[in-house]
Amino acid sequence: MPATARERPFLEPAYCKGCLRCVEVCPKDCITPGTAVYPGTGLIPVELRLDACNGCGLCIAACPEPFGLRTQSETAHVEHAAQEYLLQDPTELFGSKIVEGSPIRERPAKAIPLQECAPLVLKGTYASAIGAVLAGCRHVFGYPITPSTEGAELMAKMLPKLGGSFVQAVSEVAAVNMMYGAGAAGVPSMTFTSSPGFSLMLEGISYMIGAEVPGVFVNVMRGGPGLGNIGPEQADIKLACRGLGHGNTHALVLAPSTPQEMLDLTMEAFALSFRYRNPVVILGDGYLGQMTGAVRLPSRMFRPGLPSWCVWGDRAHRTNLICSIMLAEPDLEAHNLRLNAKYAAICAEEQRADAYRCEDARVLVIACNTPSRMAKGAVEAAREHGIAAGLLRPITLWPFPIDALKELLPHVEHIIVVEASPGQLEDEMRLALSHAGIQPPPITSVRRLGGMLPQQAEILAGIRESQEVRV
Amino acid sequence: MSTFYDHFERHGKGLANRVTHYCPGCGHGLAHRDLAAAIDELGVQDRTVLISPVGCSVFAYYYFDVGNTQAAHGRAPAVALGHKLANPDAVVISYQGDGDLASIGLAETISIAQLGIPITVIFINNGIYGMTGGQMAPTSLVGQKTSTSPEGRDSAMGQPLRVAELIAQLDGPVYVERVALYDARQRTKARKAIAKALRLQVEGRGYAFVEVLSECPTHLKVTPDAAEAWIRTQMEPVFPLGVKKDSMVEPWFRRPPPSFDAETVLALSGAEPTQDRAEGPARRHRLGARGRSLKLAGAGGDGAQTAALLLARAAIAEGFDATHIPSYGPESRGGTSYADVNIAEEEVLNPSAAEPDVLVAFNAPSLARFASTVPEGGLILYDSTVITEPGELPERRRVLGVPFTGIAVGLKQPMVKNLVALGALQAASAILPAPRILGALREVLKHKRAALPVNEAAFAAGQAAVAQARA
Ligand code: SF4
Ligand code: SF4
Ligand code: SF4
């Protein structure tokens, strides 16, 4: 720095770590190893005798400490700010620093009306991608995996035309961390993945939850464990509801059952993700991802805002920090308690379920995603047989819609959980019942695995069996 | 040095307010000062976003008065990319150590370097793991004793990884240099290199990478000056200093702001405002309470999926609900290809076709596999060109052999056998009115008008074949 090159060094002994990197470099032997321990640091600062100093600056360039060796004028600004105030232009005193307490204003999202359109005929992954675009998402990061890839493919086609970015990352691990970066910058981002890829993203999701970074994950579940197959399964419910990486984590888990809901819930997921500064997971199944159906577009789309907390890369947001490390145990405990309060608020506010013919149901079928459609067919058929069956379809798997279930229980004599998993949905329900202190009626199940879904006939048989049991 | 905070509030009170957490003589402090100086010189403090890694520099955000995001171990470049794409005006720096960049994050390091999007990566190579306590790094020297190579690194533990050279041979980066900090001359070069790497990003010229050979006196278990000497005499011969790549590239990185134009979004979604629709209002063609379930089964290339989609589209245009689920064999070409279509007046309850009302079989295995799933009173249509001996088929089903392939070959376009099948299906079942299916065909082919006549002819020929069979 030429302006200061001829200036002599200054050292506040408290900020010297006594590393001696400055000593060897001084051509005039002005700096010598110290002899006295500095109280407070326990280190031995160097000693400066500057009579012979030519202001070459080499010592300053050798000092690793930001407040170690510096030029005298540089230090004067800061160390003696009070005294120098009258001599200095006060606005220049601390360079271009932010004035303390200047509030960062949040720029709210804006709704943009949409013309009414004829219904589209879309597969679930496409519907979800279009939902994301309507929600204002312009940043998508992903890694190809069947049966979710078409979502990413459509994004790769649409986003460049919308000034957005689709990045095919080197892995799911990289993809989730790109989302972490984009989310930290305050923009809506998402990914499409399927079970094995979702496993790989869990570390990143834990970081996002810890650092309170929003982002939407669409997991089109396939058959597992391991490489499994590409048939539809629902065996990531446990992962999404109970296992989002390490530590105290939770995220809203939404379970669509039609291409229409793939769009609607994806849109909603972005709003929820920013409302709670937390990732949101959309769990579909392989059928739903590939299933084509009628999809009506909403009456409005959104231009996202810019939250006050983000690290955007401008003056207003310069003081912000996105991080999940908290070294002091009390700080981290307090942070976790805050997260817990957020989780509790989500549980209280965001439970969603769809009840079909439940008003007088004595047999209650619980099912989500595609199996809930077969279950609906089975409920219809059971009604034709004179059985008072109903379907409660959780739309949020976490939080489980226990309030809706609670309301129905007085007239329900039997619960049948239908799922393409070894009981993960049932576990969520049982846990919710247990927390609510409710003794449920008998629970049976209709389960399929390995990429096969429970069919209407099996569910109907389950419903009829439940009647025999009672007789 | 205004880019450092005046007080390191995040580090702590008292002395911690002004000194770093780095050990005495640690090279990180010097690299920090160089980086801060570069940010100052370029006047980009407000726009800068620094990604702190995991490692000794995990707390870089204690010191830099810029936007800060802390990343998971190894993922800093992915996080940096997310930031850069979210806000292309941000000046994004990924600051990483050797464990972070050259071990756990190698995939991110290389893939994001190859993308070439302008970010600046500062790689602190000190040949050892600092934060976790002196374990072997990918850059540890052969013979170097560390806590996980107690007898010294031997070649079976891998040779030291020369990352600058690795990055330089990629096409993505524009500038790669390796520098050191062990004497005044090297420090000057280091400062210049870091400033240049940052400038290349600010000017939108590209990705820049600076590897800094840095002292870790603590885990080398030597004094800082001995650590400097070790780098000069031991490390430098293995990691030669200097510019590894420096391409003259004109500024190119510019991104338009994202678009939230409703018309563009609708057009990209394939949606058409209602008033533009040519077809009249839906006519309700009675299907009965159960709706219809169809299975189209063949091999990849038979066009079963396209035909199924046309049916679903036509049904939705008719005002029904419809779904289509494809399922394929594992081969991407030539394997089995089955399509389940369901059509209902109000809502498709069960989207699978386990017991289809109509089976369209394009080959013998498909006919053999699914004929028995068709319930009594159902319709079985098969390609009599391909299936010359249908074998024994279940009774009390309408069975019709139509030469799908023969007719299509007669039209000099074997590909349209699926349209022949659709025509036959329409004539034999009357599930949907023919104009509706043809409307869907025109919609699908709206950008391939030339293909329309032969497809329409195929459809008509399929219809005629059924009429003839009846006569
Ligand atoms: S400025 Fe140069 S001459 Fe003066 S103390 Fe520092 S190194 Fe020595
Ligand atoms: S280089 Fe800085 S910290 Fe090290 S002895 Fe010199 S003044 Fe102290
Ligand atoms: S352990 Fe090594 S790298 Fe880490 S702060 Fe200490 S000297 Fe620096």
Side-chain angles (χ1 to χ4, degrees):
Chain A
M1 278 178 269
T4 55
R6 293 289 113 189
E7 282 189 68
R8 290 176 160 191
F10 172 88
L11 179 66
E12 177 66 47
Y15 307 149
C16 170
K17 285 183 172 162
C19 72
L20 310 184
R21 289 187 78 144
C22 55
V23 173
E24 51 179 300
V25 84
C26 177
K28 302 285 178 195
D29 296 329
C30 298
I31 311 179
T32 49
T35 47
V37 171
Y38 188 85
T41 65
L43 299 169
I44 307 171
V46 290
E47 283 160 17
L48 271 56
R49 267 178 219 86
L50 298 179
D51 310 332
C53 171
N54 63 8
C56 71
L58 290 176
C59 57
I60 294 172
C63 179
E65 279 298 311
F67 290 97
L69 278 166
R70 294 182 298 161
T71 60
Q72 294 186 353
S73 61
E74 200 180 15
T75 49
H77 286 194
V78 187
E79 304 299 329
H80 309 293
Q83 292 96 301
E84 303 252 330
Y85 183 79
L86 293 175
L87 305 174
Q88 300 266 335
D89 175 0
T91 56
E92 293 293 297
L93 199 58
F94 295 110
S96 56
K97 300 230 158 165
I98 285 185
V99 186
E100 278 277 341
S102 64
I104 314 172
R105 244 180 287 127
E106 167 136 11
R107 197 178 75 215
K110 198 175 138 233
I112 300 165
L114 286 178
Q115 267 181 293
E116 203 186 316
C117 291
L120 294 167
V121 182
L122 292 174
K123 62 167 69 180
T125 40
Y126 288 165
S128 177
I130 290 172
V133 165
L134 294 174
C137 174
R138 296 291 181 271
H139 293 84
V140 178
F141 307 97
Y143 186 84
I145 183 166
T146 311
S148 76
T149 314
E150 290 91 340
E153 287 171 350
L154 185 59
M155 285 303 200
K157 207 163 120 190
M158 290 196 290
L159 288 180
K161 300 194 173 81
L162 292 168
S165 304
F166 168 78
V167 178
Q168 180 169 324
V170 70
S171 67
E172 282 90 351
V173 178
V176 65
N177 282 283
M178 291 169 189
M179 288 176 66
Y180 179 94
V187 308
S189 76
M190 78 172 314
T191 193
F192 288 91
T193 189
S194 178
S195 307
F198 190 63
S199 284
L200 276 176
M201 290 177 169
L202 292 176
E203 179 206 37
I205 294 178
S206 168
Y207 276 77
M208 288 174 78
I209 293 172
E212 299 189 88
V213 174
V216 172
F217 294 80
V218 177
N219 175 3
V220 182
M221 294 180 285
R222 60 186 243 184
L227 205 46
N229 63 22
I230 58 170
E233 220 180 47
Q234 295 177 294
D236 296 352
I237 292 178
K238 175 194 70 184
L239 214 52
C241 294
R242 303 285 148 196
L244 293 177
H246 54 284
N248 173 20
T249 58
H250 272 300
L252 259 153
V253 179
L254 303 173
S257 69
T258 59
Q260 178 73 55
E261 267 192 336
M262 285 289 275
L263 183 141
D264 296 343
L265 291 180
T266 303
M267 276 189 87
E268 198 161 351
F270 281 97
L272 291 166
S273 181
F274 276 80
R275 184 176 315 149
Y276 291 104
R277 268 190 78 175
N278 202 70
V280 172
V281 180
I282 296 174
L283 282 188
D285 57 66
Y287 262 22
L288 193 54
Q290 297 300 315
M291 189 197 303
T292 298
V295 177
R296 275 166 192 80
L297 296 186
S299 59
R300 50 194 204 151
M301 58 175 247
F302 292 92
R303 174 198 200 100
L306 195 65
S308 56
W309 49 261
C310 74
V311 176
W312 174 248
D314 64 358
R315 171 171 292 214
H317 298 87
R318 200 177 82 197
T319 47
N320 287 338
L321 166 67
I322 298 293
C323 95
S324 62
I325 184 169
M326 264 154 242
L327 277 195
E329 290 86 351
D331 291 353
L332 188 54
E333 184 176 51
H335 180 57
N336 270 284
L337 293 175
R338 246 172 24 76
L339 290 178
N340 285 348
K342 172 155 92 180
Y343 302 152
I346 293 174
C347 288
E349 301 295 327
E350 306 299 347
Q351 291 179 29
R352 267 155 241 221
D354 179 36
Y356 178 71
R357 306 199 73 166
C358 283
E359 322 74 55
D360 60 342
R362 290 155 31 129
V363 184
L364 186 65
V365 180
I366 308 276
C368 64
N369 296 134
T370 305
S372 72
R373 303 184 69 157
M374 284 74 160
K376 208 167 184 177
V379 163
E380 274 295 294
R383 288 270 175 179
E384 279 167 26
H385 286 90
I387 303 171
L391 168 69
L392 184 70
R393 176 171 71 87
I395 296 173
T396 53
L397 303 187
W398 193 92
F400 190 88
I402 186 67
D403 295 348
L405 177 59
K406 204 153 65 177
E407 255 176 54
L408 302 176
L409 284 181
H411 53 78
V412 168
E413 290 159 8
H414 197 105
I415 292 177
I416 302 175
V417 185
V418 175
E419 55 187 314
S421 103
Q424 296 181 357
L425 179 61
E426 185 176 326
D427 285 348
E428 284 307 306
M429 181 189 73
R430 283 181 181 274
L431 204 51
L433 285 166
S434 162
H435 282 307
I438 297 168
Q439 185 60 47
I443 301 170
T444 54
S445 59
V446 178
R447 298 173 185 169
R448 294 302 299 265
L449 290 164
M452 281 177 290
L453 298 182
Q455 293 300 317
Q456 183 171 322
E458 298 166 70
I459 305 168
L460 181 60
I463 295 174
R464 299 180 80 162
E465 258 165 48
S466 76
Q467 298 302 294
E468 286 155 24
V469 171
R470 278 196 308 117
V471 175
Chain B
M1 285 228 185
S2 63
T3 294
F4 285 121
Y5 290 113
D6 283 339
H7 297 277
F8 302 150
E9 303 291 351
R10 290 178 182 138
H11 188 200
K13 305 234 172 301
L15 262 182
N17 217 245
R18 279 302 175 86
V19 298
T20 65
H21 70 289
Y22 298 113
C23 307
C26 174
H28 272 301
L30 285 167
H32 279 23
R33 289 186 76 163
D34 291 347
L35 190 55
I39 296 168
D40 279 347
E41 275 165 37
L42 288 160
V44 293
Q45 183 182 7
D46 285 336
R47 288 161 57 197
T48 298
V49 173
L50 178 69
I51 315 300
S52 310
V54 170
C56 283
S57 49
V58 61
F59 298 121
Y61 63 82
Y62 283 176
Y63 312 119
F64 285 90
D65 182 1
V66 298
N68 281 288
T69 295
Q70 201 286 318
H73 198 24
R75 318 297 167 218
V79 175
L81 186 79
H83 268 287
K84 188 72 182 179
L85 294 176
N87 177 11
D89 286 336
V91 177
V92 187
I93 300 159
S94 177
Y95 184 104
Q96 302 172 262
D98 40 38
D100 196 87
L101 182 142
S103 185
I104 193 168
L106 203 51
E108 281 81 357
T109 297
I110 291 175
S111 61
I112 287 159
Q114 185 67 317
L115 289 184
I117 294 197
I119 60 168
T120 304
V121 178
I122 308 295
F123 170 37
I124 303 298
N125 175 7
N126 52 23
I128 199 152
Y129 277 61
M131 192 192 212
T132 49
Q135 293 80 18
M136 185 178 73
T139 51
S140 293
L141 303 183
V142 170
Q144 188 180 337
K145 287 188 176 159
T146 70
S147 63
T148 49
S149 59
E151 304 300 322
R153 183 179 195 171
D154 63 39
S155 56
M157 301 172 187
Q159 302 279 338
L161 191 65
R162 280 185 280 269
V163 184
E165 285 79 358
L166 197 65
I167 299 296
Q169 63 85 34
L170 301 175
D171 294 322
V174 292
Y175 170 63
V176 181
E177 181 168 354
R178 183 184 288 119
V179 296
L181 303 166
Y182 59 69
D183 67 19
R185 222 176 110 241
Q186 302 307 334
R187 285 191 283 267
T188 307
K189 285 188 180 168
R191 177 163 292 208
K192 283 194 181 137
I194 289 174
K196 177 168 177 177
L198 203 59
R199 186 166 50 74
L200 288 168
Q201 179 184 177
V202 172
E203 294 172 354
R205 289 181 202 267
Y207 172 102
F209 182 97
V210 179
E211 173 171 344
V212 183
L213 301 187
S214 174
E215 294 78 11
C216 174
T218 300
H219 291 304
L220 293 176
K221 302 192 177 78
V222 294
T223 59
D225 65 332
E228 287 179 344
W230 185 81
I231 293 199
R232 193 179 67 244
T233 59
Q234 307 296 309
M235 230 179 155
E236 190 180 333
V238 180
F239 296 102
L241 303 181
V243 176
K244 309 290 170 183
K245 179 171 188 179
D246 192 0
S247 317
M248 281 301 297
V249 173
E250 290 305 310
W252 61 273
F253 184 72
R254 243 170 255 107
R255 292 268 160 135
S259 154
F260 297 95
D261 176 60
E263 272 178 37
T264 314
V265 168
L266 287 183
L268 286 171
S269 310
E272 282 174 15
T274 327
Q275 54 263 43
D276 298 353
R277 277 219 299 164
E279 287 154 61
R283 288 165 300 157
R284 276 293 165 103
H285 196 91
R286 303 297 306 174
L287 287 178
R290 282 190 50 252
R292 292 284 191 287
S293 181
L294 303 92
K295 189 180 288 285
L296 290 79
D302 283 338
Q305 307 301 340
T306 315
L309 265 171
L310 283 171
L311 281 173
R313 281 178 169 275
I316 287 165
E318 182 72 7
F320 296 141
D321 188 27
T323 59
H324 158 233
I325 302 178
S327 74
Y328 304 97
E331 314 86 343
S332 64
R333 287 279 174 275
T336 56
S337 175
Y338 308 141
D340 289 4
V341 176
N342 278 275
I343 303 173
E345 286 184 10
E346 298 300 332
E347 183 187 0
V348 172
L349 296 182
N350 187 349
S352 74
E355 295 173 12
D357 301 306
V358 179
L359 169 69
V360 179
F362 288 90
N363 58 26
S366 298
L367 183 64
R369 178 159 177 195
F370 295 113
S372 62
T373 65
V374 178
E376 283 187 21
L379 169 67
I380 298 173
L381 266 177
Y382 67 90
D383 186 345
S384 57
T385 316
V386 179
I387 310 167
T388 45
E389 285 173 32
E392 219 166 286
L393 292 172
E395 286 172 18
R396 287 186 288 280
R397 279 88 177 155
R398 280 172 66 209
V399 179
L400 261 177
V402 175
F404 304 157
T405 307
I407 293 175
V409 168
L411 292 166
K412 301 201 170 42
Q413 185 52 275
M415 297 277 288
V416 297
K417 66 177 161 187
N418 58 346
L419 263 292
V420 178
L422 266 189
L425 167 67
Q426 196 283 326
S429 74
I431 286 179
L432 291 162
R436 197 57 84 180
I437 299 177
L438 290 169
L441 178 67
R442 276 194 297 278
E443 175 70 21
V444 168
L445 291 179
K446 72 177 168 217
H447 301 300
K448 286 187 217 150
R449 288 254 172 239
L452 195 54
V454 67
N455 278 281
E456 285 173 339
F459 184 82
Q463 284 179 301
V466 170
Q468 224 171 356
R470 277 212 186 109

